[in-house]
Amino acid sequence: MEKQKILIVEDDSVNLLFLNDKLRESNFEVEKATDGVEALVRLVNYQPDIILLDNLMPKMSGMELVEILKKDPRYKNIPIIILSAIDDAKEKEKGMAMGVAVYLTKPINFDEILKNILTTLKRQ
């Protein structure tokens, strides 16, 4: 069976490496980007099954990236899970209204992230 592909977009190097290692251990193919601009470059040649996206990043926020992806026919159907330090109901509502599959608030344990990834992929 082919591995499912995940694009992790995270500016914190510790979080990025942790998620990369844990997702590879969980049998996913992983591509990484450290901000939204780099994510757009990666997406040209990498079609992930799901995107794990930090919200607070330099150059472009996660929400700005969601807005771009959801308007683009090539990427609009890729499910996105937001990982955010912002625990705000309005921000969550905004994300869900924009088409985000799941909005998780940091700190998040890996089991919760994995459960949400698997559930979201099953829905596809």
Side-chain angles (χ1 to χ4, degrees), residues 4-10 16 19-20 23-24 28-34 38-39 41-48 50-52:
Q4 290 189 294
K5 300 176 183 178
I6 295 185
L7 174 63
I8 306 169
V9 188
E10 168 66 71
L16 185 62
L19 289 168
N20 176 65
L23 289 166
R24 286 179 190 276
F28 287 95
E29 181 184 306
V30 179
E31 183 70 34
K32 303 179 295 287
T34 56
E38 188 182 343
V41 172
R42 295 271 182 275
L43 285 165
V44 171
N45 295 311
Y46 187 78
Q47 187 72 23
I50 192 164
I51 297 172
L52 209 51

Side-chain angles (χ1 to χ4, degrees), residues 41-96:
V41 172
R42 295 271 182 275
L43 285 165
V44 171
N45 295 311
Y46 187 78
Q47 187 72 23
D49 297 299
I50 192 164
I51 297 172
L52 209 51
L53 178 61
D54 183 22
N55 193 16
L56 298 176
M57 296 183 294
K59 297 183 186 172
M60 180 188 301
S61 75
M63 290 299 196
E64 288 169 324
L65 181 59
V66 169
E67 197 171 346
I68 291 167
L69 295 178
K70 292 302 178 185
K71 287 179 182 170
D72 191 319
R74 295 171 296 177
Y75 311 125
K76 68 179 185 179
N77 294 321
I78 302 171
I80 299 170
I81 295 179
I82 291 268
L83 306 176
S84 182
I86 303 170
D87 187 11
D88 178 72
K90 281 189 172 62
E91 190 73 5
K92 285 181 183 178
E93 286 171 24
K94 178 182 170 189
M96 300 312 270

Side-chain angles (χ1 to χ4, degrees), residues 1 3 12 42 45 47 58 110:
M1 188 176 138
K3 289 184 180 184
D12 182 289
R42 295 271 182 275
N45 295 311
Q47 187 72 23
F110 181 75

Side-chain angles (χ1 to χ4, degrees), residues 103-119:
Y103 188 109
L104 299 173
T105 305
K106 294 178 181 178
I108 310 149
N109 72 44
F110 181 75
D111 290 339
E112 184 179 357
I113 293 171
L114 184 60
K115 180 186 78 174
N116 278 282
I117 289 170
L118 296 173
T119 301

